[in-house]
Amino acid sequence: MSYASSRAWALKETFRGFRQNFSLFSLATFLSALALSIPLFISTIFYELAEPIRQIPTSVEITVFTKSGTDMEKLSKAVAEIETIERVSLVPKDEAIRSLNEHLGLKDKAVKHNPLPDILIATVSSSTSPAGVDAAAGRIEKIEGVDMLAYETDWREKLDALSNAARLGLLCLGIVVLTLVMLVVAASIRLTTLSVQPQMKALYLFGASPSFAMRPIAWRGFILMMSASLGAIAITYAGLAVLGHPIATVARLYEVELALALPPVDWCAGFVIICSLIGYIIALLSAQDAWRKARR
């Protein structure tokens, strides 16, 4: 049989299998779509939350109180020369007292005497460890004109510990979810190949090659998972549409703009392609097992 005719037969046999076992293939597609929608939905939520989370400031700020008469420009340059300092901003004492009064609810009160000095805010790079922050603070404290420092690193250590625990927990959860999804998908595809054993036996007796016999089954797995992945995208879209408004409302309360949406088209296309290839591989492995049994 020629190359074209063998592929034409495989294509015809692929869709004949769909027609003969329509209910079985529909069930397998539905189960696979539900299973695939779980990691897709979770990853979409994290994808949308990633940008607002990255915008949360995690850098430690060192407040530098200066002595009276200090040359602030010279001091700013000296602080900025420290390798771990990302930026330095000057807060004049008038602005500092005004900010303090606003924080205390005294913004309408006139201040006759301002006890605050000029202040420098030295922002340490986010990649600097707590020990590095302490080292930078020690160097700043030795600069001429510095009166005292104020900074806090405990919250950063707690945040790092919480982030590491969250990453580990999400990794374990992801592994469990993906394992369950793969088991469901594999079982669904395997379910559709149970009825091909007599066909494999007949093809073997007629002298068909393994690739010729297994090709329709592999193609069915490819089409099944392609349909299931498209169904998973549709289910995820529906879920995001339901949750989108409530989540956006909560986000606005915290002055964060958040709109749930599917990942970009190229991501969705990649998801469909990967799922289709997985279906092809699993169906091909099932077909190989059926072929081995037919040869016995």
Side-chain angles (χ1 to χ4, degrees):
M1 188 176 288
S2 66
Y3 178 88
S5 59
S6 64
R7 267 64 183 178
W9 176 87
L11 184 62
K12 181 179 178 181
E13 189 65 21
T14 297
F15 287 99
R16 188 183 69 83
F18 285 140
R19 289 193 300 270
Q20 286 184 345
N21 301 282
F22 179 77
S23 59
L24 186 61
F25 277 100
S26 298
L27 176 62
T29 302
F30 180 70
L31 290 176
S32 299
L34 284 179
L36 290 173
S37 66
I38 296 173
L40 180 60
F41 184 81
I42 294 175
S43 60
T44 301
I45 294 293
F46 279 104
Y47 175 83
E48 294 296 335
L49 291 177
E51 185 60 31
I53 291 176
R54 281 195 294 266
Q55 293 177 359
I56 298 175
T58 58
S59 301
V60 176
E61 292 184 340
I62 301 176
T63 303
V64 183
F65 296 93
T66 61
K67 297 177 181 178
S68 178
T70 300
D71 186 343
M72 298 304 296
E73 184 177 352
K74 181 179 178 181
L75 179 59
S76 297
K77 290 181 179 179
V79 173
E81 289 176 355
I82 299 175
E83 297 81 5
T84 53
I85 300 300
E86 196 171 68
R87 62 181 178 274
V88 178
S89 56
L90 171 64
V91 181
K93 60 181 182 180
D94 293 337
E95 182 179 339
I97 193 64
R98 184 165 56 252
S99 176
L100 177 62
N101 286 343
E102 289 178 356
H103 181 72
L104 297 175
L106 303 174
K107 57 184 178 181
D108 294 331
K109 302 291 184 178
V111 179
K112 297 180 180 180
H113 175 66
N114 184 357
L116 296 179
D118 291 327
I119 295 173
L120 287 181
I121 304 296
T123 303
V124 185
S125 62
S126 58
S127 59
T128 305
S129 64
V133 175
D134 292 336
R139 293 178 61 181
I140 294 174
E141 201 168 16
K142 296 177 182 178
I143 299 175
E144 183 180 356
V146 174
D147 185 17
M148 60 179 293
L149 305 179
Y151 66 97
E152 179 64 52
T153 58
D154 288 346
W155 68 270
R156 175 66 183 276
E157 294 178 1
K158 294 176 182 177
L159 178 62
D160 290 342
L162 181 62
S163 299
N164 292 333
R167 290 192 190 98
L168 181 59
L170 289 174
L171 177 62
C172 295
L173 177 62
I175 292 174
V176 172
V177 170
L178 287 177
T179 301
L180 291 175
V181 169
M182 291 304 299
L183 289 175
V184 171
V185 169
S188 299
I189 297 175
R190 179 73 175 174
L191 185 65
T192 63
T193 60
L194 293 178
S195 60
V196 301
Q197 193 63 48
Q199 179 186 8
M200 283 291 191
K201 188 68 174 179
L203 289 172
Y204 173 72
L205 293 176
F206 280 110
S209 65
S211 60
F212 180 86
M214 292 185 288
R215 189 174 294 119
I217 301 172
W219 286 8
R220 286 174 202 159
F222 183 90
I223 295 174
L224 187 152
M225 285 301 293
M226 181 175 64
S227 303
S229 60
L230 292 173
I233 292 175
I235 293 172
T236 301
Y237 178 81
L240 295 177
V242 172
L243 294 177
H245 180 69
I247 291 180
T249 301
V250 173
R252 281 195 294 270
L253 295 177
Y254 292 92
E255 299 180 352
V256 176
E257 290 296 328
L258 181 62
L260 296 182
L262 286 174
V265 176
D266 53 344
W267 284 37
C268 293
F271 174 74
V272 173
I273 292 172
I274 292 173
C275 290
S276 302
L277 292 177
I278 290 174
Y280 179 89
I281 293 171
I282 295 176
L284 184 61
L285 293 175
S286 299
Q288 288 176 345
D289 182 61
W291 181 258
R292 283 194 297 268
K293 291 179 180 178
R295 295 176 59 183
R296 294 174 184 172

